[in-house]
Amino acid sequence: YCSAKLEVVRDDSTTHTRVLEEVAGDVKVIRMQNELERIDREWEAEKAKFILTGQNGGKHLPSKKGAALNAVIAIVFGLIVIGMGAFIGSFFVLGGSAFLIFGFLIVGLGIMSAVGGSAKAERYEKVRARYDARRSELVEKLDVGN
């Protein structure tokens, strides 16, 4: 008489009814939870593409600060080598040329490392932000549904 749709549930010892809208709501929640788990699995696979391995085998995600720090270290080392080349070259005519070339090569590699590392960190941040937004939206829907 109340226009509710009921499901008849039979257990071993009892028989009772349950409102079907509740079942439909439960199914919707389960689907959203499954979607959340799928999004998390996809993120783990995507994140694995960005993981960097350090010289000691440590793993870390790219960051702009890390790329800048690596570049500064390489450039400072390169400038020291250039300075050594200039110092040696002032005493010997051709003695410092190799140091100069090697120093400029190190500085160039440091700059390239900074640009490449920064670009990878930026791509990671964009992908992470997209994942966070998708996940937050779904969690919000789950919270509203409960």
Side-chain angles (χ1 to χ4, degrees):
Y1 72 94
C2 65
S3 301
K5 295 180 181 178
L6 303 175
E7 169 190 29
V8 177
V9 179
R10 292 184 178 95
D11 294 334
D12 291 338
S13 60
T14 63
T15 300
H16 61 278
T17 59
R18 185 164 77 168
V19 179
L20 280 178
E21 283 80 15
E22 291 175 10
V23 174
D26 291 345
V27 170
K28 184 177 180 182
V29 168
I30 290 169
R31 283 186 180 151
M32 286 192 288
Q33 289 171 338
N34 288 340
E35 177 70 10
L36 186 61
E37 289 175 12
R38 184 185 65 78
I39 288 171
D40 289 341
R41 281 191 309 272
E42 288 175 356
W43 167 242
E44 289 301 319
E46 186 71 24
K47 183 171 74 169
K49 296 175 187 176
F50 288 97
I51 293 177
L52 305 171
T53 303
Q55 291 176 346
N56 298 330
K59 303 211 181 274
H60 61 279
L61 292 166
S63 72
K64 291 180 181 179
K65 289 179 183 178
L69 179 63
N70 287 339
V72 166
I73 291 169
I75 291 170
V76 167
F77 181 69
L79 291 175
I80 290 170
V81 172
I82 290 170
M84 288 173 53
F87 180 73
I88 291 171
S90 65
F91 291 106
F92 305 102
V93 176
L94 295 175
S97 298
F99 278 97
L100 290 172
I101 292 169
F102 186 62
F104 282 115
L105 180 66
I106 292 172
V107 169
L109 288 174
I111 293 169
M112 288 174 45
S113 171
V115 171
S118 181
K120 188 166 189 170
E122 192 169 321
R123 283 192 309 272
Y124 169 74
E125 289 170 4
K126 285 181 182 178
V127 171
R128 176 66 194 234
R130 189 169 54 239
Y131 159 73
D132 287 341
R134 287 175 60 201
R135 191 174 200 292
S136 294
E137 179 182 330
L138 195 53
V139 167
E140 187 177 312
K141 287 179 184 177
L142 273 168
D143 289 342
V144 169
N146 287 333

